[in-house]
Amino acid sequence: MTSATLAPDRPAPRRTVRSGRRLTRASGLGLGVAMLWFSLLVLIPLTAVVVTASDGGWAEFWATVTNQQTLAAIELTVGTAFLVTLINIVMGTTIAWVLVRDDRFVGRRVLEVLIDIPFALPTIVAGLVLLSLYGPDSPLGVNIANTRVAVFFAFLFVTLPFVVRTVQPVLAELDREAEEAAASLGASRFTVFRRIILPSLTPAIAAGAALSFARGVSEYGSLVLLSGNLPMRTEVTSVRILSSIENDNLEGAAAVAAVLLVISFVVIVAVDVIQRRVVRRG
Amino acid sequence: MNRTRVAGALALAATLALSACGGGGASGEGTTTLSIVGYAVPEAANKAIIAEWNKTDEGRGVRFQTSYGASGDQSRAVVAGLKADYVHFSVSSDVTRLVDEGLVDQNWDDGPNKGIVSSSIVVLAVRDGNPKNIQGWDDLVKPGVQIVTPNPASSGAARWNALAAWGHISANGGTDAQAQEYLTKLFANVVSLPNSGRDATTAFLGGTGDVLLAYENETILATQNGEKLDWVIPSTTILIENPGAILKNAGPKAQSFLNFVLSPAGQRQFALKGFRPIVEGIDTKGVEGALDPNNPFPAPQKLLTVSKDFESWSALSKKYFDEKEGIIVKIIAASGKAK
């Protein structure tokens, strides 16, 4: 009751705030389309995976994901994706740097075009190419077929463009005046890079790293010919999932997929947290 | 206010999306169109059979829509609604899946052909000239021999290979324990376990391994396509039987197509692409790519069959290939731990 008596006296800034938040027709439609799109393509399928995974019950789920062969596959897949992501962070940023900053480099244009090839190539074709180049008949004398190195190599191949393509535009837009000012104030090149450039690039690097990790974890086509799919040694998780599907064990397949989803989710969140820290400290 | 706007936007978007999805799926007017869903290997043979059938009175003017892929995937796709009048798979369990779903008649395998439309045998493919001098199953477990085989755990079709190896011991007086021991040694020599027969052939032709556990029709087809490889028919091997079936709701033309597939004219086309005919008395002369084109399908010393030596496909699937308890699945998993 007291509030009722007080109400008329109160100024009405909240109203204006609220009306400012009200959706216009266009933004309402935009939000609607975005939500629908996101639901159809991401939320509903992901929910379906988790629901299917739980169909067999907790005991069944646990037995599936703790199966020795499955665990070995998850370990190999996640470990390799992690390592590959670290390398991509360094190499991808370097390549982006060369593409944007190195004016003397003549092959820049060519590299610029070639960098996206791993995206464009159907992965099974990539697998064939890798097999003929780094398999037993390698013209380069490098044979990594049916070893864990093959998995590592295939991951590297398909994830190369991510960091490059996320970092490149940010680097191109970077204001060079700040760098010049820092340099004129006596900062070393390393300090300029660490204090000025890196903080601006970090969100882009993080985004690229997250994509690269997620792509690696789910890779199948490019490594399936070269890795040999040997249980406990070179078998990746996607192959395990396929095995379960072939045995009409959809719950098992979904269980392993759900574990991958959780791991990817955790990694992507972790990457975001680290990224924010780095930006703040810069 | 806000809520209703958002809801309205969602509803609008939904109708847009739905109307965009509608349409299409036009049905044939006047002419009959049959949909074939099959596993990848017999695509070339089916194409040749269709061309022959279209020349007959029965088949004149019938059009075909075909879909080929991995056998299990194709079978699951039909369950999920892929349109099919005639299916041709690599293992019978892919047809029984459709029977269980009520899509194929329970009596599909009652005919004289027992539901089988094409057949082949397991062979040992080797490098051109057979440099490791592989003559039979016993040579595969020698030290230093590298084997490629599709993975029987993840490919239904690859199970024929493992069964042939098992039969080499069990059908020649060996016990289950001896067969297990042999398979353990065999898988210790496996250097690559691709997910399908096609991938295995690709890996082998790409230089991996000394021996590929393969199907005779695949090796003949590969030779027809200009690949260089040799193969040996081991003294004991298994008859690979690929089932074909008509779906319950298929038109009358589908049955007459199946009849043609089983006829000498149809089987001749299969033979030309490397499949062993399922009926006697088919002219098999002139099969290009065979070791001897005029005697393309020499009889192995001992030819095992699923019904004679392994009870039934469902029984053997459970005993050998169950995801958790299957004897051969366990051997494969253990082969990884040994190293």
Side-chain angles (χ1 to χ4, degrees):
Chain A
M1 284 305 113
T2 41
S3 62
T5 49
L6 283 171
D9 304 335
R10 220 194 277 164
R14 278 182 68 203
R15 275 214 99 94
T16 50
V17 170
R18 213 188 242 172
S19 65
R21 274 170 55 206
R22 185 177 290 167
L23 290 171
T24 64
R25 199 170 289 260
S27 64
L29 185 64
L31 179 65
V33 170
M35 280 312 292
L36 180 74
W37 204 244
F38 190 69
S39 303
L40 285 177
L41 293 178
V42 180
L43 287 183
I44 297 174
L46 288 193
T47 314
V49 167
V50 175
V51 168
T52 313
S54 63
D55 272 356
W58 174 250
E60 189 61 37
F61 176 87
W62 191 245
T64 306
V65 300
T66 54
N67 170 294
Q68 245 187 326
Q69 205 177 333
T70 308
L71 275 185
I74 293 178
E75 202 182 297
L76 172 69
T77 313
V78 173
T80 311
F82 195 72
L83 203 63
V84 161
T85 304
L86 287 183
I87 291 177
N88 277 334
I89 289 174
V90 178
M91 288 312 295
T93 311
T94 311
I95 294 174
W97 185 272
V98 169
L99 286 176
V100 174
R101 292 288 175 97
D102 201 338
D103 300 328
R104 295 151 303 168
F105 177 44
V106 252
R108 207 168 60 154
R109 281 284 156 83
V110 182
L111 192 63
E112 172 88 39
V113 175
L114 287 182
I115 206 91
D116 287 333
I117 293 288
F119 276 155
L121 215 54
T123 52
I124 190 74
V125 178
L128 261 176
V129 172
L130 290 177
L131 178 66
S132 59
L133 279 183
Y134 304 110
D137 292 343
S138 168
L140 311 171
V142 184
N143 180 6
I144 56 165
N146 312 321
T147 66
R148 291 191 159 195
V149 182
V151 177
F152 178 69
F153 230 71
F155 278 16
L156 269 184
F157 180 80
V158 294
T159 58
L160 166 76
F162 288 107
V163 175
V164 179
R165 284 306 187 209
T166 47
V167 169
Q168 197 186 0
V170 180
L171 196 58
E173 290 297 307
L174 217 57
D175 186 6
R176 290 215 195 180
E177 278 173 19
E179 292 167 46
E180 282 154 14
S184 71
L185 291 171
S188 70
R189 299 192 75 165
F190 176 72
T191 311
V192 172
F193 179 77
R194 194 171 64 87
R195 300 298 294 268
I196 311 285
I197 301 173
L198 197 57
S200 322
L201 294 187
T202 303
I205 295 176
L211 285 174
S212 151
F213 179 84
R215 180 73 172 77
V217 162
S218 62
E219 184 50 23
Y220 172 72
S222 64
L223 56 81
V224 77
L225 289 175
L226 194 63
S227 79
N229 299 334
L230 299 169
M232 318 290 290
R233 281 182 284 159
T234 65
E235 190 181 40
V236 296
T237 327
S238 50
V239 174
R240 281 300 285 162
I241 294 175
L242 222 79
S243 270
S244 290
I245 293 177
E246 186 66 25
N247 285 294
D248 283 327
N249 178 6
L250 284 187
E251 295 84 23
V256 179
V259 171
L260 277 195
L261 279 179
V262 170
I263 293 174
S264 295
F265 181 75
V266 169
V267 167
I268 289 169
V269 169
V271 164
D272 192 57
V273 170
I274 295 170
Q275 177 257 117
R276 279 166 205 272
R277 286 250 169 96
V278 172
V279 172
R280 223 182 298 142
R281 255 192 301 159
Chain B
M1 245 322 226
N2 246 342
R3 281 263 170 86
T4 47
R5 278 262 172 96
V6 175
L10 273 170
L12 176 64
T15 38
L16 279 175
L18 284 177
S19 58
C21 290
S27 54
E29 310 87 14
T31 58
T32 313
T33 302
L34 289 181
S35 299
I36 297 186
V37 175
Y39 75 109
V41 180
E43 181 174 0
N46 280 339
K47 210 178 256 175
I49 293 172
I50 289 169
E52 287 298 311
W53 190 53
N54 279 154
K55 289 180 197 161
T56 67
D57 288 342
E58 269 293 310
R60 191 156 293 131
V62 177
R63 287 203 217 147
F64 283 84
Q65 197 160 32
T66 57
S67 161
Y68 293 101
S71 192
D73 291 345
Q74 292 293 87
S75 165
R76 281 183 287 273
V78 172
V79 169
L82 177 63
K83 169 138 180 46
D85 295 303
Y86 168 70
V87 291
H88 184 187
F89 294 135
S90 72
V91 291
S92 56
S93 56
D94 288 333
V95 178
T96 43
R97 183 183 289 118
L98 304 186
V99 175
D100 293 343
E101 295 289 327
L103 295 168
V104 167
D105 194 274
Q106 269 194 323
N107 304 322
W108 69 281
D109 54 355
D110 277 0
N113 65 315
K114 298 201 165 61
I116 304 305
V117 297
S118 63
S119 72
S120 191
I121 59 170
V122 172
V123 297
L124 313 176
V126 294
R127 300 273 163 220
D128 201 23
N130 199 356
K132 292 252 169 163
N133 193 25
I134 305 293
Q135 295 305 331
W137 290 108
D138 290 331
D139 294 325
L140 299 190
V141 296
K142 287 180 179 161
V145 173
Q146 300 192 325
I147 304 169
V148 180
T149 173
N151 189 349
S154 61
S155 157
R159 293 176 179 177
W160 297 110
N161 298 342
L163 288 176
W166 185 274
H168 162 64
I169 303 295
S170 69
N172 291 307
T175 62
D176 269 17
Q178 283 168 324
Q180 273 188 52
E181 194 190 324
Y182 174 77
L183 254 72
T184 304
K185 282 190 201 154
L186 182 97
F187 278 102
N189 273 354
V190 167
V191 292
S192 180
L193 275 172
N195 272 317
S196 70
R198 253 307 139 78
D199 283 356
T201 309
T202 309
F204 180 72
L205 294 174
T208 306
D210 305 309
V211 188
L212 167 71
L213 305 190
Y215 320 135
E216 186 183 47
N217 60 289
E218 276 265 321
T219 56
I220 292 176
L221 192 69
T223 313
Q224 285 179 357
N225 291 336
E227 301 289 354
K228 278 216 161 308
L229 78 168
D230 230 328
W231 64 94
V232 174
I233 297 176
S235 55
T236 302
T237 187
I238 193 166
L239 183 68
I240 297 168
E241 297 167 298
N242 314 123
I246 299 296
L247 274 82
K248 272 184 185 168
N249 58 4
K253 283 285 177 191
Q255 183 60 49
S256 103
F257 176 70
L258 177 57
N259 293 344
F260 185 80
V261 167
L262 298 171
S263 74
Q267 289 296 312
R268 163 87 181 147
Q269 293 305 318
F270 267 131
L272 288 175
K273 298 292 178 195
F275 287 91
R276 293 189 171 219
I278 56 155
V279 284
E280 300 283 322
I282 304 297
D283 172 22
T284 56
K285 288 230 160 43
V287 175
E288 233 178 282
L291 292 176
D292 174 1
N294 287 320
N295 180 22
F297 305 121
Q301 273 176 35
K302 191 175 265 182
L303 188 60
L304 314 175
T305 65
V306 165
S307 56
K308 190 159 56 76
D309 301 276
F310 294 97
E311 209 177 314
S312 72
W313 192 266
S314 62
L316 72 87
S317 293
K318 196 166 165 43
K319 179 175 177 190
Y320 300 107
F321 302 108
D322 180 84
E323 226 186 341
K324 291 193 199 90
E325 297 303 324
I327 298 174
I328 295 177
V329 168
K330 278 186 175 170
I331 290 174
I332 295 171
S335 75
K337 270 177 258 175
K339 288 178 192 170

